[in-house]
Amino acid sequence: MSTETVADQIVGQLIEAGVQRIYGIVGDSLNPIVDSVRRSGGSKAGGIDWIHVRHEEAAAFAAAAEAQLTGKLAVCAGSCGPGNLHLINGLYDANRSGAPVLAIASHIPSVQIGSGFFQETHPDRLFVECSVYAELVSTPEQAPRVVHSALQHAVGRSGVAVVTLPGDIADEPAARSAPAYVRTGSPALVPADEDVRALADAIDAADTVAIFAGAGVRDARPELLELAEKLGAPMGHSLRGKEFVQYDNPFDIGMTGLLGYGAAHDGIHDADLLLLIGTDFPYDQFLPDEVRTAQIDSAAENLGRRTSVDLAVHGDAKSTLAALLPLVQRKDDRAFLNRTLERHRKLMTKVVGAYTKPVGQRTPIHPEYAASILDDLAADDTIFTADTGMCNVWTARYLNPNGQRRFISSALHGSMANALPHAIGAQVAFPTRQVVSVSGDGGLSMLLGELVTVAMYKLPVKIVVFDNSTLGMVKLEMLVDGIPDFGVDVPAVDYAAVAAALGIFSKRIVDPGDLEAGLRAALEHDGPALVDIVTDPNALSLPPTITGEQVKGFALAMSRMVMNGGVGEAVQMAKSNLRNVPLPSQFSPRG
């Protein structure tokens, strides 16, 4: 009988698949796996490392970031019951982001399943909705094939696979050999000829064409730019598409949506034909109803589910654009493109850039100004991770991609507290690259314990905290709905002092004159660093296209605040945001 245990076999399968580490927290039901990892000798010896985080949610976020940045399988693990339950939020984020992640959810003893035993849950049921594969290992004979299927599903379908493993079975002898891990190249999804021809005809028939692109164009950038040049098409992008579309792009007109900036909204509404390429942008209220629309996507289920489309092409962006380019006629009239680009320039100068120069000496610090300084000082190949909420706004508007920088956020799941654990995964996977966590004080405090992880491993993560002692995005949502903000403010916390107590290099900045020197010192520090920037809690990100109803709601909430004794706060908020509110003549009639 083999002396190899099921746990040993699983670790061997992970090593064969190229896995170098597992993020998680140890626990009794997980002990066989953890001990096998210990005996593997670590990644330097060809084995696997155990990365001990402080919350399993952080383990899943870290694995998600590693998988997105490397394109390779990453692994997290949790012990039975509450341990693996904590994984679920990070796994939702990973699955929706298309990150190939394997989660090992250890389970109570197999003979106790179904008896209401201590810490009993049913992980094989719980994780179904946030995975592409979820299965329970019931016998040693079954284990190697289940794990093999999980690995192939996670990588092949770019999502989360969950293996539920009772601790007693993990400790039993392996009963059969494991199937070999299968590697393939990335296939192309070539569209049907008739669909491409129909799209080419529609493009030729349109006087003006606009493009809205998402993360699905990551491998098709040359073809995308060639198409825009041929058609004279202004190009907007989604948040996830920003890092692949914006840089060195003479057709770029910014981003639409809740975090949007520039002329993207007007550009895609004013064209005769809108091309949606590689995007499943969820906010249909920002997409035009009356513009003829075509969509290209490698996922057939995405076609037409956000807005009605007149033409749909099922294929990956690179293959579709390569087939389309020879068929379309060049459009020599550049009036629409030039008009849209000029509007974008003015908006970027007068609205998005409003706070980045004039407020260099104003306190409280405007977050826009802080973000612009960070953009100037960060390395050319920095990996940025951003918390959901206002940090996503500042990242989207003021941190610029260049083809080397990477941007990770919880863009589809929209979870708080993602930035620091995402940064941990990024830094572990890329130990020599600069990694910056753009954290809100709300997100940082939610998983504050991960500062201990950063300190423990001496990870050189740079944590930039936009500290306004409020949930800024929620405050804005309340105000535009005409509701006085309530329950969004928290007591001020000196996060620099917290970090310093853990031995992390830290600075607290309240004067904008100290921003450049403080950020520079942190970025150049050899080791972990935290910069706590005390920012204006009343600096709210108003959308670039503001409707009369939104301003009405904002004004209504302000009047209610005054009537309820909040005149001081109302006045300060007006001072902080007045320059971003357009004149009535600038209100959008489209809503």
Side-chain angles (χ1 to χ4, degrees):
M1 182 177 291
S2 172
T3 57
E4 181 185 54
T5 66
V6 169
D8 293 334
Q9 187 176 57
I10 291 172
V11 169
Q13 288 178 276
L14 297 182
I15 293 171
E16 185 186 10
V19 174
Q20 294 182 291
R21 62 194 64 88
I22 299 175
Y23 302 91
I25 298 177
V26 299
D28 56 353
S29 59
L30 200 54
N31 284 347
I33 290 288
V34 173
D35 189 57
S36 182
V37 167
R38 177 187 64 81
R39 287 183 282 107
S40 76
S43 60
K44 291 182 179 179
I48 288 180
D49 296 321
W50 181 266
I51 306 298
H52 179 192
V53 296
R54 293 314 180 276
H55 195 291
E56 288 89 352
E57 180 180 352
F61 274 127
E66 177 182 328
Q68 289 177 77
L69 291 165
T70 65
K72 299 177 181 178
L73 183 72
V75 181
C76 58
S79 58
C80 66
N84 62 59
L85 269 178
H86 285 162
L87 293 169
I88 198 163
N89 190 53
L91 293 183
Y92 261 97
D93 175 76
N95 199 51
R96 298 189 70 178
S97 300
V101 170
L102 172 70
I104 300 173
S106 67
H107 204 3
I108 63 172
S110 57
V111 296
Q112 300 290 356
I113 295 174
S115 68
F117 192 69
F118 175 64
Q119 293 189 322
E120 181 173 6
T121 58
H122 292 89
D124 50 314
R125 303 176 197 171
L126 288 166
F127 292 103
V128 167
E129 190 174 308
C130 64
S131 66
V132 297
Y133 181 88
E135 192 55 75
L136 168 69
V137 173
S138 301
T139 68
E141 290 82 4
Q142 177 200 14
R145 296 181 68 180
V146 166
V147 172
H148 175 79
S149 292
L151 297 174
Q152 302 297 159
H153 273 80
V155 174
R157 295 182 59 185
S158 296
V160 169
V162 183
V163 173
T164 300
L165 180 67
D168 59 315
I169 291 178
D171 215 19
E172 290 187 21
R176 62 183 298 171
S177 59
Y181 179 69
V182 177
R183 289 179 172 84
T184 65
S186 298
L189 182 59
V190 179
D193 290 341
E194 60 267 28
D195 290 342
V196 178
R197 180 73 263 179
L199 179 56
D201 291 342
I203 290 173
D204 288 344
D207 289 333
T208 58
V209 179
I211 295 171
F212 186 66
V217 304
R218 61 171 60 87
D219 297 322
R221 178 178 160 82
E223 293 83 359
L224 186 69
L225 294 178
E226 184 180 349
L227 180 67
E229 195 284 327
K230 196 169 187 178
L231 304 182
M235 188 187 308
H237 56 79
S238 66
L239 175 62
R240 296 181 73 219
K242 172 185 171 76
E243 64 179 301
F244 309 110
V245 174
Q246 179 184 315
Y247 70 96
D248 295 338
N249 183 351
F251 311 100
D252 178 60
I253 55 169
M255 189 171 81
T256 193
L258 294 172
L259 315 182
Y261 59 89
H265 182 276
D266 289 340
I268 67 177
H269 280 76
D270 293 344
D272 294 330
L273 177 67
L274 171 63
L275 302 182
L276 302 175
I277 306 178
T279 180
D280 188 33
F281 181 73
Y283 300 104
D284 58 295
Q285 66 267 38
F286 290 97
L287 296 173
D289 293 324
E290 300 177 359
V291 176
R292 186 168 170 80
T293 300
Q295 185 176 6
I296 300 168
D297 206 290
S298 59
E301 65 271 20
N302 291 351
L303 296 170
R305 76 172 177 176
R306 304 302 183 188
T307 187
S308 296
V309 297
D310 300 278
L311 291 163
V313 181
H314 183 205
D316 67 68
K318 188 176 184 68
S319 298
T320 302
L321 296 182
L324 179 66
L325 279 164
L327 302 180
V328 296
Q329 299 298 313
R330 179 179 176 81
K331 297 184 186 297
D332 293 321
D333 185 351
R334 303 283 146 146
F336 174 60
L337 172 63
N338 293 335
R339 185 169 64 251
T340 309
L341 289 174
E342 176 59 17
R343 175 164 177 76
H344 180 64
R345 184 192 67 78
K346 289 181 179 179
L347 287 169
M348 292 298 289
T349 301
K350 295 182 179 180
V351 178
V352 174
Y355 287 130
T356 59
K357 290 186 175 64
V359 297
Q361 300 303 319
R362 296 182 188 173
T363 55
I365 296 171
H366 278 278
E368 301 94 331
Y369 179 66
S372 71
I373 297 297
L374 176 61
D375 180 60
D376 291 340
L377 297 179
D380 287 342
D381 65 345
T382 296
I383 299 170
F384 293 100
T385 65
D387 267 336
T388 296
M390 301 307 281
C391 283
N392 258 340
V393 178
W394 315 139
T395 301
R397 294 184 181 178
Y398 299 101
L399 299 184
N400 291 298
N402 57 11
Q404 299 178 67
R405 288 176 169 179
R406 295 299 312 273
F407 296 82
I408 298 292
S409 66
S410 185
L412 296 176
H413 188 48
S415 174
M416 284 183 66
N418 63 286
L420 180 55
H422 271 159
I424 289 171
Q427 194 73 83
V428 169
F430 295 94
T432 62
R433 282 181 71 171
Q434 186 178 87
V435 176
V436 175
S437 172
V438 182
S439 298
D441 57 307
L444 179 67
S445 62
M446 187 176 283
L447 285 175
L448 188 62
E450 296 313 316
L451 285 178
V452 179
T453 305
V454 170
M456 173 182 175
Y457 288 103
K458 296 181 173 57
L459 296 173
V461 173
K462 315 308 179 189
I463 304 154
V464 179
V465 187
F466 285 73
D467 186 358
N468 60 6
S469 299
T470 191
L471 301 178
M473 185 64 78
V474 182
K475 180 192 284 272
L476 177 60
E477 290 166 350
M478 289 179 173
L479 291 170
V480 297
D481 284 339
I483 303 171
D485 62 294
F486 177 78
V488 295
D489 298 324
V490 296
V493 175
D494 187 341
Y495 291 100
V498 174
L502 292 168
I504 295 174
F505 176 88
S506 63
K507 287 186 175 294
R508 183 172 171 87
I509 300 177
V510 297
D511 186 334
D514 297 331
L515 263 173
E516 183 170 349
L519 284 171
R520 189 185 300 277
L523 293 172
E524 293 177 352
H525 178 70
D526 185 16
L530 182 146
V531 181
D532 185 3
I533 305 173
V534 181
T535 59
D536 186 354
N538 296 317
L540 304 178
S541 168
L542 298 180
T545 301
I546 305 173
T547 69
E549 284 300 310
Q550 286 173 316
V551 174
K552 178 182 176 182
F554 191 92
L556 178 62
M558 295 276 280
S559 66
R560 287 176 176 168
M561 288 167 60
V562 171
M563 287 187 292
N564 290 330
V567 65
E569 182 179 352
V571 170
Q572 288 304 315
M573 190 171 294
K575 286 182 178 179
S576 294
N577 295 282
L578 186 60
R579 73 176 66 215
N580 274 353
V581 179
L583 298 173
S585 62
Q586 294 175 288
F587 290 162
S588 166
R590 299 185 181 91

